[in-house]
Amino acid sequence: QVQLVESGGGLVQSGGSLRLSCAASGRTFSNYVMAWFRQTPGKEREFVAGIYWTGGSTYYVSSVKGRFIISRDSAKNTVYLQMNSLKPEDTAVYYCAASRRGWSTTRDDFGSWGQGTQVTVSS
């Protein structure tokens, strides 16, 4: 069973940076797509960034392109989200997710989720 544990959230000023980590365990992730989603109260959970575990191809929602970078460390079984030039609208709970269904930005295609970590960006 896949287990995902996020860390690294917190409070940061607008323009600042944070790095989120997602420690993955329970499987070999070579055929997985790993992703970060985010959610604010009253809104749908939104795809942010994804990465193929094998090969490292990445994809992003347009609102974070050029500011966020997703990466993975295979030796540590950890996925990262480096968030730069943060804006107040980036404030959300960020979730790590795993999928064996291939390239997707759809929440329902991701069968494993972490507990979430809060990111708050002050103006």
Side-chain angles (χ1 to χ4, degrees):
Q1 184 173 348
V2 173
Q3 291 186 322
L4 304 173
V5 179
E6 302 100 332
S7 61
L11 173 64
V12 64
Q13 288 188 334
S14 182
S17 298
L18 279 176
R19 189 177 80 158
L20 305 182
S21 299
C22 172
S25 62
R27 286 200 176 268
T28 299
F29 292 94
S30 57
N31 295 321
Y32 275 72
V33 171
M34 308 296 291
W36 290 93
F37 286 72
R38 64 187 179 187
Q39 190 170 21
T40 54
K43 292 190 175 181
E44 292 291 321
R45 194 168 294 187
E46 171 193 35
F47 170 84
V48 176
I51 185 168
Y52 272 106
W53 195 272
T54 301
S57 296
T58 59
Y59 52 116
Y60 300 89
V61 68
S62 59
S63 60
V64 307
K65 279 182 181 177
R67 300 189 298 123
F68 290 12
I69 301 171
I70 187 171
S71 62
R72 82 294 186 228
D73 184 329
S74 298
K76 296 182 178 180
N77 263 15
T78 300
V79 178
Y80 302 99
L81 185 67
Q82 177 67 44
M83 304 185 295
N84 302 318
S85 301
L86 282 161
K87 305 174 181 180
E89 51 264 42
D90 294 317
T91 295
V93 177
Y94 283 71
Y95 296 89
C96 180
S99 172
R100 293 186 294 177
R101 296 189 179 185
W103 203 258
S104 176
T105 62
T106 303
R107 175 182 179 175
D108 289 347
D109 287 334
F110 288 80
S112 300
W113 294 86
Q115 81 288 351
T117 185
Q118 176 71 47
V119 171
T120 303
V121 184
S122 62
S123 57

